[in-house]
């Protein structure tokens, strides 16, 4: 008889996102997964996260340093890992885990060398471990549902993506050293999620960009502002505007078509954070509020993929290639900004 027990996983990393998002979201779906261990470079950091996790997963073990990492690799009951470490070391850590046969869910970072390395691992492995990218925007119900309505607006004429962020000293990620030292800074770390949402909504790829960047707020790494024109493969053009830290936070996607317009805007309703999805057409409009649930949905999809009982293909929204395509758009925009607005083609994967 097949073993239907939930898969055992470990979290590599014990920072803000692990404590405030991953652990609470895993607790919501504890019937689907067993959290076996949390690892960090230091004992103190690992213990801090484990203390929070034990309220929901009493058996979770605390691991740290090289020895702790080796123990996770050797533990056959741990079939998958969530890599939530500094962006600069994510790929190295993920490849190490994949080579050990573990399934990996990681945030998005450097891409090209990583993809070629993964393909080599895949070719050498009889049972290819899954490398999934943690992009919760593709799992937000607001994007899933609004994407279905894009057909109603007819031929696409223009796309607008406006981001006025709130990355100031009161934001817990403001002092994150690895984000500050990341090439592209907060523009890349934050912007990649908004591009994921854009690509999902329009249903086609960005082919080229032309951008202007600037550095105004000196408390932030450069650049902290970007304005980019972009061209879609369907012939439509659009604009991406991002201010990392603004006094008037706003996050908005808007797609204008021949027969109507769809718009998605971050908002709050009855104390719940989420998205206001609006469809305009024929002189009328309708709006639906969708609370956030993308992190939970992405985790459920990953555990379903790595479960021994799962027989279907990997969930395409978790594909590492999708994450690579998101990053490629941002990297092209940043390159264009550094080259005074030169038109830069977006790398294809």
């Amino acid at each position: 008889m097949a073993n239907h027990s939930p898969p055992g996983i470990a979290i590599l990393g014990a920072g803000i996102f692990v404590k405030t998002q991953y652990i609470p979201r895993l607790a919501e779906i504890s019937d689907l997964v067993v959290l076996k261990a949390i690892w960090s470079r230091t004992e103190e950091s690992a213990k801090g996260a484990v203390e929070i996790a034990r309220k929901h997963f009493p058996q979770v073990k605390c691991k740290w340093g090289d020895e702790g990492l080796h123990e996770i690799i050797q533990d056959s009951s741990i079939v998958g890992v969530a890599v939530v470490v500094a962006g600069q070391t994510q790929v190295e850590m993920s490849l190490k885990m994949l080579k050990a046969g573990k399934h990996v869910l990681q945030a998005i970072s450097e891409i090209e060398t990583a993809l070629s390395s993964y393909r080599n691992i895949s070719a050498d492995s009889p049972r290819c471990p899954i490398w999934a990218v943690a992009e919760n925007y593709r799992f937000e119900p607001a994007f899933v549902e609004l994407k279905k309505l894009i057909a109603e607006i007819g031929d696409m004429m223009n796309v607008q993506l406006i981001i006025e962020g709130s990355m100031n000293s009161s934001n817990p990620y403001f002092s994150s050293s690895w984000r500050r030292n990341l090439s592209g800074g907060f523009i890349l770390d934050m912007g990649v999620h908004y591009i994921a949402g854009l690509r999902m909504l329009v249903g086609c790829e960005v082919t080229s960009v032309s951008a202007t960047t600037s550095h105004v707020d000196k408390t932030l790494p450069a650049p902290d502002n970007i304005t980019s024109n972009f061209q879609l493969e369907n012939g439509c053009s659009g604009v991406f505007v991002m201010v990392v830290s603004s006094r008037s936070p706003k996050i908005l996607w808007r797609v204008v078509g021949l027969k109507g317009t769809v718009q998605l805007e971050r908002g709050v309703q009855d104390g719940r954070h989420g998205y206001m999805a609006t469809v305009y057409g024929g002189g009328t409009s309708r709006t639906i509020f969708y609370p956030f649930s993308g992190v939970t949905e992405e985790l459920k999809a990953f555990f379903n993929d790595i479960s021994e009982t799962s027989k279907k293909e990997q969930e395409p929204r978790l594909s590492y290639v999708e994450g690579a395509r998101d990053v490629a758009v941002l990297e092209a925009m940043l390159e264009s900004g550094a080259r005074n607005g030169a038109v830069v083609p977006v790398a294809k994967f």
Side-chain angles (χ1 to χ4, degrees), residues 155-174:
D155 292 340
M156 210 175 284
M157 297 195 294
N158 184 258
V159 184
Q160 302 151 42
L161 176 44
I162 312 296
I163 311 296
E164 295 177 22
S166 54
M167 187 53 67
N168 53 46
S169 57
S170 63
N171 189 303
Y173 296 102
F174 179 80

Side-chain angles (χ1 to χ4, degrees), residues 217-239:
D217 187 340
K218 304 305 181 187
T219 67
L220 295 165
D224 65 325
N225 302 282
I226 186 166
T227 302
S228 178
N229 292 317
F230 59 82
Q231 186 72 36
L232 298 175
E233 63 184 357
N234 66 3
C236 182
S237 64
V239 62

Side-chain angles (χ1 to χ4, degrees), residues 115-125:
L115 280 170
S116 61
S117 298
Y118 179 48
R119 287 174 182 138
N120 290 338
I121 294 170
S122 302
D124 295 341
S125 175

